[in-house]
Amino acid sequence: MKKLLTLLFLFSAYSFSFGQKAGYWQQQVNYNIDVSLNDKDNSLDGFIKMDYLNNSPDTLSFIWIHCWPNAYKNDRTAFSDQQLENGSTKFYFANEEKKGYINRLNFKVDGIVSSAEDHPVHQDIIKLLLPSALAPGKSVLIESPFHVKLPYQFSRGGYINKSYQITQWYPKPAVYDRKGWHPMPYLDQGEFYSEFGNYKVNITVPKAYIIAATGKEVGHKNKDSILTKTFEQNNVHDFAWFADKDFIVVEDTLQLATKIVKVSAYYREKNKGSWKNCLEYAKAAILTKSKWVGEYPYSTVTLVENPVSGNGGMEYPTITLISATADQKMMDYVINHELGHNWFYGILASNERQHPWMDEGMNSFYDRKYIMERYGTAALDYFDIKEKFISSRMPADVEYLGVDVVTTIKQDQPIETPSEDFNFINYGLIAYSKTAQWMQLLEAEMGTESFAAFIHNYYEQWKFRHPYPEDFKQLAEAFTNKNLDLVFDLLNKKGSIVPPVKKDIRIKSFFSFKDTDKHNYIFIAPAIGYNFYDKLMIGAMLHNYTLPPQKLQFFVAPLYATGSKQFNGIGRTSLNFYNGRGSKTEIGISGASFSGDSYRDSTGKNNYLRFSKLVPFLKYVFPKKNARSSISAFVQLKTFLISETNLRFNYDTTIQQYIITYPVAKRFVNQLNFTIENARVLYPWKGAITAEQGKSFVRLNFTGNYFFNYPAKGGLNLRLFAGKFIYTNDKTFTTQFETDRYHLNMTGAKGYEDYTYSNYFIGRNEFEKFSSQQIMIRDGGFKVRTDLLSNKIGKTDDWLAAVNFTTTIPSSVNPFELMPFKLPIKAFLDLGSNAEGWKKDAPSGRFLY
């Protein structure tokens, strides 16, 4: 009976497979390319012939062509824009010498000169107009010379010194499949989708270079100072090659069930220690993927050292770049991951620009199987910290902790998100790690044996093809013979796919990120503090800050002051409600109590003038327009309830002497703030509007900041301020005196004027020596204090406006660059005006600087 059921199952799976094949089609492009490297000007000259076979049921009048070297042409490409969005100005500010392009294209189709049109948006895509319609089942021969000015290696390809990474380097037709054309610009975050075909590539380089390339070397010519090698490979959708004068080459062979595979590595002498086990790692990766997914179909596997350290790797058919690392476990992991892309991306060629999880996520799922088999652990230990105190507090699985964090704060995106729509963090956490979680869930739903058989069938049916998510789902359902909508619907949903467990409460010292899915931690740690009056303060802090953040968060730190002999402290607690798309509502209260001044009386006793504050607050962070947006905004309401011990001298006429008292005064400040910020890496800006109200006054102000980047490094920060002080009662001498600390300042505000006690001051009310030098950049923002020996300049209880420029000093004119250590020296200019300067007989000019 069991055998009969097995046969019936296999028959149904076969029938399903046959039915899919019958209706499936894909285009084919066969390439014959001659290319030569000029290492004097870092360029390529080539000639390409493409046999384009139209297997579709449609008649084609044009073909979209990817000219991806043009992604590096200028700062108006999709690649350049994405680099800025992801926080890098390296390409944007690169000089022309480091940029790249492809030109000298002159297409002929079946010998007829053909015209091309620019893409309406992207410079690295063109539309090749066919001189006559291409009918179903027919083919055309497309030919063109081409010249490539190689860019510096900003992304995956280019040059570094005289090391060349030649990737995405030739004109290549976009995919035309059952969903239509897929022209796409080159992106750094977001990989590729190309047509399968057979390649023959003749590569010519100066004789000193060693070449590694996709496929098998089938020809070798030396003539004078020139070397030409020929490589061939069938059933691939890309071709990459690498040239370097300093490569060391090691080789071995690996026996698979039906073939012998040549395994090679190209690396540099200085890193040979990192590469000592590379062939062993490569063979282990090929064997495990062949066992778990399907036998490796090609005859070569090649590893090439990436001249850029710390980049992990980048895969191409039969060949991959690897960044060397001394950590052998990490080296093993990276080699396994990059070679795994030969299956997911290389052989199973999904449209991973649209569905990155079908490559990155599936590959990550098998990474975890590999790590478990090799090292007996479910995840790579990124930290590898030997010190027990730290290592015992690190997460066992940092990737899944990251997923837990972004899902907890509701800033995750669905797995089924196009690669360019992911924000930088989610691309790694969701497309890779959360998909691996989802694959584990699918395996559990199907059963281990059924899942393994399904993956093998998926591989055999779809190798050298373009499977879509629906193809993967249909085949999974055929193997389980049940509806898997609930599992596959998770691909389009946000939030955790791991069932929550009931957490216990644990007390631990300092901090921990370990097993935070099982425990709610309360941490205890020593705390210290210092100010001029309390002197050294020692105590303890109690908090529950960890990852992912808990809904209720608290921090409290009682401190004993060795100077004032009193207990001080600081604390905060809040409830956080995460609303999605980066939005958050936070309600809480904070507080603090310290000495803000002291007075030594005639008996020699130091009397400490204490302040305390309680601050209930409500904050709402607005949702972002989309996950990649760098614009954030929030509105916050606070009430500062402040208690201060003052010093008062009262003259007693009876005893004819001054009596010193220390009355406690209470006051409040209501504060409403709206802040909007664009944290983009190029020309970031921020604006804040604040309204404050207290007894007898309202204080309104706007502060704006705009940063102008310099091409090399650093930049100019522009700050704008405008403020207005309003009396809500009659303006009298008494109200002026009582509201003095709230008045607008042109020059640096001192500790006394920190009326909400929101800034840390070493000597809050000192007027001499080092402790008196601290100021706040507030209001007019002048970087000088003018009240130490006279009345403040530029202070007003009316209106004030100022502009502040602060700039880094270019290295070429900065004498401090010659020093063996860096000094944060900047130049500044402050300009401002206020109401006082415009009055008749004003004590100062209308404009201050």
Side-chain angles (χ1 to χ4, degrees), residues 16 24 46 89 154 177 183 288 341 440 459 462 483 510 535 548 594-595 628 641 657 664 738:
F16 176 82
Y24 178 83
T89 59
F154 297 104
D177 64 16
T288 53
H341 282 298
Q440 290 172 334
Y459 175 78
W462 288 100
N483 188 302
F510 292 96
K535 305 304 182 187
F594 294 95
S595 296
R628 289 188 62 80
L641 304 172
Q657 66 180 34
V664 175
E738 290 177 344

Side-chain angles (χ1 to χ4, degrees), residues 423-493:
N423 64 34
F424 184 73
I425 293 175
N426 280 340
Y427 183 65
L429 291 178
I430 305 301
Y432 289 69
S433 302
K434 188 178 179 183
T435 304
Q437 284 184 329
W438 180 84
M439 289 284 286
Q440 290 172 334
L441 182 66
L442 180 62
E443 182 182 41
E445 180 71 20
M446 296 182 68
T448 304
E449 292 184 6
S450 178
F451 178 83
F454 153 62
I455 290 296
H456 277 89
N457 190 277
Y458 172 64
Y459 175 78
E460 290 300 327
Q461 177 174 322
W462 288 100
K463 64 183 178 183
F464 312 131
R465 296 170 149 226
H466 300 308
Y468 275 92
E470 55 266 32
D471 302 315
F472 187 72
K473 179 177 184 286
Q474 288 171 3
L475 194 56
E477 290 181 329
F479 267 82
T480 57
N481 198 28
K482 64 179 181 180
N483 188 302
L484 293 175
D485 284 351
L486 291 178
V487 177
F488 277 83
D489 285 350
L490 294 172
L491 294 172
N492 295 289
K493 294 181 178 179

Side-chain angles (χ1 to χ4, degrees), residues 695-706:
K695 183 182 178 182
S696 303
F697 78 94
V698 169
R699 195 181 197 270
L700 305 172
N701 64 259
F702 166 79
T703 305
N705 289 275
Y706 199 99

Side-chain angles (χ1 to χ4, degrees), residues 34-229:
D34 293 288
V35 62
S36 60
L37 169 68
N38 184 336
D39 65 348
K40 299 293 191 295
D41 63 1
N42 300 317
S43 69
L44 304 175
D45 285 293
F47 193 89
I48 187 168
K49 297 179 180 179
M50 298 180 281
D51 284 306
Y52 187 96
L53 178 59
N54 180 17
N55 291 319
S56 80
D58 306 316
T59 298
L60 304 180
S61 60
F62 65 87
I63 297 173
W64 286 110
I65 304 288
H66 292 144
C67 299
W68 281 334
N70 278 344
Y72 305 97
K73 190 174 182 179
N74 52 48
D75 59 14
R76 298 181 300 280
T77 66
F79 164 73
S80 178
D81 291 344
Q82 189 189 70
Q83 288 288 92
L84 292 176
E85 286 182 359
N86 284 346
S88 173
T89 59
K90 188 176 180 181
F91 175 77
Y92 184 86
F93 284 124
N95 57 41
E96 288 301 313
E97 174 62 27
K98 288 188 174 182
K99 293 183 177 178
Y101 51 81
I102 184 170
N103 63 5
R104 302 179 193 170
L105 294 166
N106 185 18
F107 287 104
K108 290 183 179 180
V109 178
D110 287 338
I112 302 172
V113 175
S114 302
S115 60
E117 295 178 353
D118 293 335
H119 188 276
V121 177
H122 301 296
Q123 300 178 53
D124 53 350
I125 306 171
I126 61 174
K127 180 190 282 187
L128 177 63
L129 304 178
L130 301 178
S132 60
L134 179 59
K138 301 297 182 179
S139 66
V140 291
L141 175 62
I142 303 170
E143 303 173 274
S144 180
F146 65 93
H147 172 80
V148 176
K149 164 64 175 66
L150 293 169
Y152 182 82
Q153 189 174 329
F154 297 104
S155 181
R156 300 177 179 92
Y159 69 89
I160 295 179
N161 298 321
K162 294 302 174 183
S163 180
Y164 295 92
Q165 296 75 51
I166 313 301
T167 65
Q168 313 305 337
W169 52 283
Y170 54 94
K172 186 193 307 184
V175 172
Y176 184 69
D177 64 16
R178 66 182 189 256
K179 299 191 178 185
W181 281 106
H182 298 276
M184 54 185 69
Y186 178 90
L187 295 176
D188 187 62
Q189 178 184 301
E191 296 181 5
F192 314 110
Y193 189 39
S194 302
E195 300 286 15
F196 277 99
N198 304 325
Y199 283 78
K200 181 178 180 180
V201 182
N202 301 307
I203 302 171
T204 300
V205 297
K207 192 174 182 179
Y209 284 91
I210 298 169
I211 303 172
T214 291
K216 182 179 180 180
E217 182 184 337
V218 297
H220 184 113
K221 293 181 183 178
N222 275 313
K223 185 177 180 181
D224 300 327
S225 60
I226 300 300
L227 167 67
T228 299
K229 286 193 173 187

